[in-house]
């Protein structure tokens, strides 16, 4: 059993080094199945899912990593990343702030939190532009 765990982790790491994210996902999934109590397996699979644009799945695995190990800062960062990608800015901020409570100097959480703030500004700018366009329309055009 121990050999199988190591073999899957080695295969997953090799796939990551080749940017073969589908293969990495397969092997990290095997790792999760063999060792569901290891938070790193959940986190690594979440990282592979991020590379494949599978953000809902990434979020689920990142959450599982923090359930298994609540003080795992990288797990909170991954939750923040997934929520940011899914444009769930409040949830992203909440996760990232939790990560920063655990490690106030964590650069990943800080940078991702900055990205959340930028996304909020962009959302406000988009809304303001749309509102300006709507106000410029003749009421007869709105029918």
């Amino acid at each position: 059993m121990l050999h199988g765990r190591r073999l899957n982790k080695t295969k997953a790491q090799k796939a990551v080094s080749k940017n073969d994210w589908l293969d990495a996902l397969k092997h990290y999934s095997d790792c999760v199945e063999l060792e569901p109590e290891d938070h790193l397996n959940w986190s690594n699979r979440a990282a592979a899912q991020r590379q494949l644009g599978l953000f809902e799945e990434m979020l689920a695995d990142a959450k599982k990593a923090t359930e298994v190990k609540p003080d795992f800062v990288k797990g909170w960062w991954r939750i923040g990343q997934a929520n940011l990608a899914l444009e769930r800015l409040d949830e992203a901020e909440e996760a990232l702030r939790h990560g920063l409570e655990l490690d106030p100097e964590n650069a990943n959480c800080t940078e991702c939190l900055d990205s959340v703030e930028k996304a909020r500004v962009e959302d406000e700018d988009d809304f303001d532009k749309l509102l300006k366009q709507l106000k410029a329309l003749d009421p007869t055009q709105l029918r």
Side-chain angles (χ1 to χ4, degrees), residues 33-131:
E33 196 172 307
L34 290 169
E35 281 184 295
E37 72 286 352
D38 185 343
H39 65 286
L40 295 175
N41 291 332
W42 295 101
S43 179
N44 289 335
R45 187 167 77 171
Q49 290 162 334
R50 178 176 188 258
Q51 294 299 323
L52 294 167
L54 303 171
F55 299 114
E56 290 288 355
E57 294 84 350
M58 176 193 183
L59 179 59
D61 279 1
K63 284 182 176 181
K64 186 65 180 176
T66 60
E67 286 172 23
V68 172
K69 186 167 174 51
D71 63 345
F72 182 52
V73 176
K74 188 179 262 188
W76 293 104
W77 170 56
R78 293 205 194 284
I79 292 171
Q81 287 181 305
N83 278 310
L84 176 59
L86 294 165
E87 298 181 1
R88 297 175 187 156
L89 303 182
D90 290 342
E91 292 89 340
E93 180 180 355
E94 183 180 336
L96 295 163
R97 290 204 183 281
H98 188 80
L100 288 169
E101 285 175 19
L102 295 168
D103 178 6
E105 304 299 316
N106 188 278
N108 289 329
C109 286
T110 300
E111 288 172 19
C112 195
L113 191 56
D114 289 344
S115 296
V116 169
E117 294 307 320
K118 286 177 188 166
R120 281 206 169 104
V121 169
E122 289 170 7
D123 282 352
E124 289 172 10
D125 289 346
D126 289 345
F127 178 77
D128 289 342
K129 287 176 190 173
L130 181 60
L131 189 59

Side-chain angles (χ1 to χ4, degrees), residues 1-10 31 34-35 37:
M1 185 72 137
L2 184 61
H3 176 70
R5 288 184 218 161
R6 282 194 195 134
L7 184 61
N8 279 314
K9 285 183 183 182
T10 300
C31 291
L34 290 169
E35 281 184 295
E37 72 286 352

